[in-house]
Amino acid sequence: MYPFGTPTVVPAAGFDAVKDAHDLRKAMKGFGTDEDALINIICRRTNEQRQEIQRQFKTHFGKDLIEDIKSETSGNFEKLLVGLLRPIVDYYCAELNDAMAGLGTDEEVLIEILCTLSNMEINTIKNQYLRLYGAHLESELKSETSGNFKRLLTSLCTAARDESGRVDPVAAKNDARELLKAGELRVGTDESMFNMILCQRNYQQLKLIFQEYEGMTGHSLEKAIKKEFSGDVMEGLIAIYKCVTNKAEYFASRLHKAMAGIGTNDTQLIRVIITRSEIDMTDIKAAFERLYGKSLKSWIKGDTSGHYKHALYALVGEQRSS
């Protein structure tokens, strides 16, 4: 599914789900909990392996691993482990559902997920969302958002992007011209043109379109988007732009944003680390250091503590220093 990128979590060699299940049970049995054992198993297995461990745990002990983890841990450490134990598609669905539940909507989550995934991934999430929540993701998105942003998410939700990887330089020139006419060359903005091109063209073709645009105008399309749009739709279009030009940098910026300033957005930190650890976290770490001058590990160290911190270290492929 992911031909691009270097993960930090890879399938454990000599994997033995039965042994892992017994070791987890031992770590939680009796008085106190051996958190290090939980980290060493749960954070050093792939999502697929974790599902197998949970099946064995239930078979051998008649207990639900997630429920046991919930009763033995708390706070962000619990949140992280429970997130890791969910099948990845269920995890994405829960994040989307949480983003839309209650008062207000966390548009950033909708952008981070829908603007970065492939057609197949979006379709899988849509089907599972319906199974889990008895509602269509698309109609939920429509009722939670409005205007241009709603139209952008609806386009992305149809998962109709061309994924052939074929490039056509002539078409790229035409599309770049259309974007110019729809934005900087007119009063007001024809957002539907941006929507259509950025949601339908394949990534390789978009790279070419962005180069053509820069050649015609002397500045990046990102700069034009910032000038022509504002709010959530601007953030969404920029996320697509960044994912086309450098996906690792996009996710590095999400991690940075989660930890920058006062306080930490742990939900965001956890989500990015869970969802990218098996895809391209090694690349994201390199991008982070390149963009911010300090290692991701040093930022995690400054923003988190205890078992939670050590679990994050394991997931991003870093050794414990203390």
Side-chain angles (χ1 to χ4, degrees):
M1 212 158 160
Y2 303 111
F4 316 110
T6 313
T8 47
V9 173
V10 296
F15 174 60
D16 181 344
V18 176
K19 183 185 185 303
D20 284 349
H22 279 271
D23 289 346
L24 287 170
R25 177 87 175 104
K26 199 163 73 196
M28 295 185 284
K29 217 173 156 182
F31 192 70
T33 308
D34 180 356
E35 287 90 356
D36 284 342
L38 300 185
I39 292 169
N40 282 331
I41 298 171
I42 297 171
C43 300
R44 298 185 194 281
R45 305 289 183 271
T46 60
N47 193 271
E48 205 177 316
Q49 291 178 328
R50 291 179 209 123
Q51 302 317 310
E52 186 52 38
I53 294 167
Q54 286 177 86
R55 282 191 288 275
Q56 295 299 341
F57 194 88
K58 197 165 262 181
T59 305
H60 285 256
F61 310 112
K63 291 165 80 85
D64 186 293
L65 180 57
I66 288 182
E67 292 311 314
D68 274 18
I69 294 282
K70 281 179 176 172
S71 66
E72 295 290 329
T73 59
S74 62
N76 288 317
F77 184 51
E78 174 193 344
K79 202 166 162 182
L80 177 64
L81 294 182
V82 170
L84 288 165
L85 289 168
R86 282 191 163 152
I88 192 70
V89 180
D90 293 20
Y91 180 74
Y92 273 123
C93 290
E95 289 294 298
L96 289 167
N97 189 59
D98 288 351
M100 296 185 283
L103 284 172
T105 304
D106 189 341
E107 290 86 2
E108 284 195 14
V109 178
L110 306 182
I111 291 169
E112 186 194 295
I113 296 176
L114 295 169
C115 295
T116 63
L117 297 180
S118 68
N119 293 344
M120 184 182 137
E121 289 164 325
I122 290 172
N123 283 324
T124 308
I125 288 168
K126 280 190 338 198
N127 295 335
Q128 186 65 349
Y129 194 93
L130 182 59
R131 272 200 292 275
L132 291 172
Y133 301 106
H136 288 279
L137 178 59
E138 192 176 315
S139 42
E140 297 274 283
L141 290 167
K142 281 179 177 168
S143 67
E144 290 291 328
T145 57
S146 61
N148 294 343
F149 184 55
K150 173 163 96 174
R151 288 189 281 277
L152 177 68
L153 291 184
T154 305
S155 297
L156 290 166
C157 205
T158 55
R161 186 183 297 285
D162 161 39
E163 291 182 342
S164 67
R166 276 197 299 273
V167 291
D168 177 342
V170 178
K173 259 196 179 62
N174 289 335
D175 277 348
R177 216 171 280 127
E178 289 300 330
L179 288 170
L180 194 51
K181 286 197 305 214
E184 297 186 87
L185 289 183
R186 57 170 285 170
V187 179
T189 310
D190 172 12
E191 52 87 24
S192 65
M193 185 55 71
F194 280 81
N195 205 341
M196 196 259 304
I197 292 172
L198 277 102
C199 294
Q200 289 183 18
R201 305 292 183 256
N202 73 59
Y203 272 28
Q204 289 75 7
Q205 183 70 3
L206 282 170
K207 267 198 176 108
L208 210 50
I209 293 167
F210 298 165
Q211 282 163 13
E212 288 292 344
Y213 193 92
E214 212 156 316
M216 288 174 188
T217 62
H219 58 248
S220 71
L221 183 67
E222 182 180 5
K223 191 175 171 186
I225 292 168
K226 284 179 174 165
K227 201 175 98 183
E228 296 294 320
F229 293 89
S230 62
D232 298 320
V233 70
M234 175 191 83
E235 296 291 349
L237 292 170
I238 285 175
I240 297 172
Y241 177 87
K242 285 184 168 165
C243 279
V244 169
T245 50
N246 192 324
K247 206 171 226 177
E249 281 187 7
Y250 170 74
F251 283 107
S253 74
R254 297 293 295 154
L255 289 170
H256 183 259
K257 193 172 181 193
M259 295 184 282
I262 297 164
T264 306
N265 182 339
D266 290 290
T267 308
Q268 186 171 316
L269 181 60
I270 289 170
R271 184 180 57 253
V272 175
I273 289 177
I274 286 181
T275 56
R276 306 312 293 183
S277 58
E278 287 185 49
I279 306 172
D280 54 1
M281 187 50 77
T282 301
D283 312 307
I284 293 168
K285 282 197 308 190
F288 190 95
E289 197 154 343
R290 193 168 64 242
L291 291 172
Y292 306 109
K294 286 182 81 175
S295 70
L296 177 60
K297 181 184 181 179
S298 68
W299 274 69
I300 291 173
K301 186 177 183 178
D303 266 58
T304 64
S305 61
H307 304 301
Y308 173 46
K309 174 180 79 175
H310 292 138
L312 292 175
Y313 278 0
L315 289 165
V316 301
E318 294 291 347
Q319 298 303 314
R320 288 167 64 155
S321 31
S322 53

